[in-house]
Amino acid sequence: MDWHKMSEQEVIDTLKTDRKNGLSQSAAEEKLKEYGTNELEGKKKKSFLSKLKDQLLDPMIIILVIAAIISAFIGEAVDAFLIIAIVIINALLSIYQEGKAEQSIEALQKMASPKAKVIRDSKIREIDSRNIVPGDLVVLETGDIVPADLRLIESSNLKIDESSLTGESVAVEKDYRETYEEDNVSLGDRKNIAYSSTIVTYGRGLGLVVGTAYETEIGKIATGLDAVGDEETPLQKKLKVLSKQLGMLTVIVCLLVFAVGYFMHNNTAIEMLMTSVALGVAAIPEGLPAIVTIVLSLGMGRMAEKNAIVKKLLAVETLGTTTVICSDKTGTLTQNEMTVKKIFVDDTDIDLTGTGYEPKGSLEIDGREISVDDTKSIYTMLNIMTLTNDATLEEENGKYVITGDPTEAALLTAAGKVKVTKQAANDSYPRVEEIPFDSDRKMMTTFHENFVENKVVSFTKGAPDIVIEKCNRILLDNKIIDLTDDIRKNLLEKNSEYAKQALRVLAYAFNVHESLPQSLDSESIEKDMIFVGLTGMIDPPREEVRDAIVECKSAGVIPVMITGDYLETAVAIAKDLGIAEDESQAMMGKELSNMTDEEIREVVKTTRVFARVSPENKVQIVRALKENGHIAAMTGDGVNDAPAIKKADIGIAMGITGTDVAKNTAEVILTDDNFATIVHAVAEGRVIYSNIRKFVGFLLSCNIAEVLIVFLSIVFNWDTPFLPIQLLWLNLVTDAFPALALGVEAAEPGIMNKPPRDPNEPIIDSKMRFTIASQSIAITIASLFAYRYGLSHFPDHIEAARTIAFTTLISSELLRSYSARSENIPVFKLGLFSNKKLVLGTAFSAVLMLLVVYVPGVNDLFKLIPLHWEHWKVIIPCALIPFAIGEIFKAIRYKKDK
């Protein structure tokens, strides 16, 4: 439909909606069933058969399947059947694990779903944008991403960035009053339409949804949208290279095994082919990338439970390397429950009691409760606080809930303490126009009727220094007098006094107009105003942030406050929380504007508080920190924070107060807007990387040992210690379950007492190389000794020797998984059974091992025999040797570190 050509009433009639009250909830639910959700289809999921095909088309699996077919042809049907069965079990396990990872990411995507503000049943509601339907009445404010195609029915200085749709870089001015009759009006020229996925850069508006999902203009262009890309993290790339290198090495060893066994020792070709291929499959850690993905996904889930939604796997990895956290103050370091504590009007300080958003408390002068009539100008002051206000404060189930800016909600709360409400004020003095707030002028102005008879009054609220500068008169005792230099100086001193008490100060002014001005711009309206008063409010620090700052510093992570607040307020909060020691560690953002890049790089080395910063200053700070070699995390909530969020190594957006633009730009979203959550996420990132190292070291030491055992036995011309089917079962038993359990190991003591790791450091460093080498050699020697013992004591019973070697190897690898829980701390210090998942995983693996050894019929299939105590007398000591060696080395290292 040509919605841009239709009148407002035609659109309302067509959509069967209400211009004032929006849709009813029941009507919206019916439309949702009719039109479906407002989302573009992402990448189609792979079917089960497609995933199974991918697993079975692995080159090594293909070789194994061919070997099984050959084995069946030469009469070894049982072996062939078991090999195929184990291959399928392995494939099904991988598919299951892949599915769990997909489910985890899908759940996080839903949690990170963009929100939209709609009017339903005459109330503003915040809902998932996917649940918007045609006919919904959508509220647009600066920073919002337009959730669907809208026909505008109200607009106030509304500008929208449509570059994602039209390629036009300049924001488009919108006007709901525009109408069109011609047919070929281009998308960029339709000023009465707002398009899905475009960004509100200025002003506010109201629009009716006329298209959702594929009925939007962006949906018509899109052929599919993948919300989560398939980008590999640097860690996954490193592991992939490592797997390939190990694979090539293993193939060479397998060829050597085949050549030595076939040409030097006259074993049959099929026997050596089966042994070599099975050895290759057992030795190559082909599951590494899958396990890494699962562990990262599980880590994302744990972070989400702790209020940090991570949108990309890459961010999980990078979080652990963070060296500096640049944090906004309001809501992140503080409680985000602003409370007005002071009102300065008629040259009088008024104290307010009560905290939070519940309008309980009172206004007091020198401890005496006052009413609106006690000071003559307070009525005007409270009305300006209430009318220059886009927040709402409503009681729901006994609790007061705010929509909009916490600062504005605090003003509504303060006025409500003396029964001045937004509803009553708006009914008496309706808003007819406005100049919205922006971060450059730091003011907002609204125009109202009826406050002065037959005239229009403009009320202005904003930063005190700017508002005072724009005033030339003042309201005192309900009289308007000239604003003299002495009075101006007194006001600025009062502003400074409040700021030094860590209060956030706002100033209020007004002007009277004969009628609504023709030109509604800041230059002509916000000047020569009448000053009314000041408010001072405080957002108390979060109690948990103090401990988080201490943890940050012990972890070698530098906390930096970057705020738009005044220097005095910022320093007071920073000193209270332990971010800064004194004023020498703080500076104003405007000072950065006159510095060279080199000077800024020097400044950020010692400065811990940046106040009154501009969006450009934030980018300068982040860039300088990165150039100094830091891995920088940057938090933000507004449109103007987006460039710095994007510039940082880790962008973090506020989930409660954050705009859609900030959330869309960031890699991490905090659902509680809490600085302590960032520190928890950094700790989780460190734990995840540490755990990845653990299971990489575990898998490699075990797999290298398996290769060495078979290779050396062939070189020594002994009978092969493991049959192909035994190697495959061993691979299934020892790799998957303990490795995954190591991936969820709890944080080691002191993990946040170490400096951040270098993101460029190799996964396998010198310490890990020594551990892998020593453990591989120890497991090899122990297993070969046990095998040789079996050969010498049971010369006519090769199955006994193989069973002893088989059981020794599995037992030593399961014990190795416990030693792998820490690279430095002895397992007994950690608590032998403190990782319950590892206990369950190794117990299950041990049961599977005993199953093929003791269950009649099953052991025949695997060519194993039931073991007796005389066998276990050699198995247990041999299996314990590698574990003991590893723990001895760690004990020595631990003592040295202590």
Side-chain angles (χ1 to χ4, degrees), residues 5 39 50 82 142 165 204 210 233 260 283 302 339 355 386 476 483 667 672 722:
K5 295 172 65 176
E39 55 188 345
S50 178
L82 287 173
T142 302
L165 181 66
R204 57 194 295 273
V210 295
T233 73
V260 171
R302 287 195 301 274
T339 304
T355 59
T386 305
L476 278 176
L483 184 58
E667 288 88 15
D672 61 354
F722 307 117

Side-chain angles (χ1 to χ4, degrees), residues 255-269 271-272 275 709-721:
L255 291 173
L256 284 173
V257 167
F258 180 88
V260 171
Y262 181 71
F263 293 109
M264 292 179 63
H265 302 312
N266 299 317
N267 292 318
T268 63
E271 180 185 354
M272 294 316 302
T275 300
I709 292 166
V710 176
F711 178 70
L712 291 174
S713 62
I714 295 292
V715 170
F716 297 152
N717 199 22
W718 298 346
D719 287 322
T720 309

Side-chain angles (χ1 to χ4, degrees), residues 128-188:
D128 285 345
S129 60
R130 64 193 299 273
N131 293 326
I132 281 176
V133 296
D136 258 327
L137 193 55
V138 176
V139 178
L140 296 178
E141 294 175 330
T142 302
D144 288 346
I145 293 179
V146 181
D149 281 6
L150 310 177
R151 171 58 160 87
L152 297 172
I153 59 172
E154 285 183 19
S155 59
S156 176
N157 298 309
L158 184 63
K159 294 182 181 180
I160 298 180
D161 176 2
E162 296 182 348
S163 58
S164 60
L165 181 66
T166 64
E168 176 57 53
S169 58
V170 178
V172 178
E173 293 187 19
K174 295 293 181 178
D175 188 345
Y176 74 99
R177 294 166 294 198
E178 288 283 349
T179 55
Y180 303 92
E181 295 180 2
E182 57 271 28
D183 292 327
N184 299 318
V185 181
S186 66
L187 297 181

Side-chain angles (χ1 to χ4, degrees), residues 567 583-597 599-600 603 607 609-614 617 620-621:
L567 188 67
E583 289 80 359
S584 66
Q585 291 181 297
M587 70 180 301
M588 297 282 281
K590 64 183 180 182
E591 296 178 51
L592 296 172
S593 303
N594 299 319
M595 291 184 179
T596 64
D597 291 346
E599 288 172 331
I600 296 174
V603 162
T607 305
V609 177
F610 294 92
R612 304 296 280 171
V613 293
S614 68
N617 294 151
Q620 287 176 309
I621 294 164

Side-chain angles (χ1 to χ4, degrees), residues 302-476:
R302 287 195 301 274
M303 289 184 184
E305 290 172 5
K306 294 178 181 178
N307 302 313
I309 298 175
V310 183
K311 291 160 61 180
K312 297 178 183 178
L313 288 178
L314 171 63
V316 179
E317 180 186 330
T318 309
L319 271 167
T321 66
T322 302
T323 59
V324 60
I325 301 173
C326 300
S327 175
D328 187 24
K329 175 180 70 67
T330 305
T332 311
L333 299 170
T334 57
Q335 294 178 19
N336 201 21
E337 287 196 351
M338 297 295 294
T339 304
V340 177
K341 303 300 288 183
K342 293 277 190 181
I343 292 178
F344 182 75
V345 66
D346 284 342
D347 201 27
T348 303
D349 281 304
I350 301 173
D351 298 306
L352 283 80
T353 64
T355 59
Y357 295 124
E358 186 174 2
K360 283 187 177 180
S362 61
L363 276 65
E364 299 179 351
I365 298 177
D366 297 328
R368 175 179 60 86
E369 187 173 339
I370 66 167
S371 69
V372 174
D373 301 322
D374 278 86
T375 62
K376 294 180 180 179
S377 303
I378 191 70
Y379 180 78
T380 301
M381 177 78 168
L382 292 172
N383 273 285
I384 299 176
M385 290 162 57
T386 305
L387 293 167
T388 58
N389 203 310
D390 292 322
T392 61
L393 180 68
E394 295 181 352
E395 187 178 7
E396 293 183 9
N397 302 319
K399 183 178 179 182
Y400 281 85
V401 179
I402 68 166
T403 303
D405 184 65
T407 298
E408 294 194 334
L411 298 177
L412 296 181
T413 304
K417 291 175 182 179
V418 285
K419 312 305 180 196
V420 176
T421 66
K422 184 175 182 179
Q423 183 68 50
N426 280 325
D427 288 345
S428 300
Y429 316 117
R431 183 188 296 190
V432 292
E433 263 298 354
E434 66 178 282
I435 306 174
F437 176 86
D438 70 58
S439 56
D440 292 326
R441 27 184 269 282
K442 294 182 170 62
M443 290 185 292
M444 76 172 291
T445 296
T446 57
F447 297 83
H448 299 266
E449 296 176 330
N450 301 339
F451 195 81
V452 175
E453 189 175 356
N454 298 324
K455 296 181 187 292
V456 171
V457 176
S458 62
F459 291 139
T460 298
K461 172 187 71 185
D465 51 346
I466 296 174
V467 172
I468 292 170
E469 184 186 341
K470 300 284 186 182
C471 293
N472 62 2
R473 290 163 292 166
I474 185 171
L475 183 69
L476 278 176

Side-chain angles (χ1 to χ4, degrees), residues 67-126:
I69 293 169
I70 295 170
S71 185
F73 271 113
I74 64 172
E76 297 288 344
V78 174
D79 277 9
F81 171 77
L82 287 173
I83 290 169
I84 295 298
I86 291 171
V87 165
I88 291 173
I89 290 171
N90 261 315
L92 292 176
L93 273 174
S94 294
I95 292 169
Y96 171 76
Q97 291 166 351
E98 185 181 339
K100 292 291 284 182
E102 286 176 354
Q103 288 172 17
S104 175
I105 291 173
E106 284 173 10
L108 294 173
Q109 283 178 262
K110 288 177 182 175
M111 290 178 69
S113 173
K115 304 288 184 181
K117 293 181 285 292
V118 301
I119 296 175
R120 287 184 182 172
D121 293 318
S122 75
K123 288 187 176 180
I124 296 179
R125 304 172 187 266
E126 190 172 67

Side-chain angles (χ1 to χ4, degrees), residues 630-652:
H630 283 289
I631 304 298
M634 175 73 199
T635 72
D637 56 8
V639 178
N640 56 1
D641 293 324
I645 290 173
K646 191 171 185 179
K647 183 72 177 175
D649 297 288
I650 289 286
I652 303 172

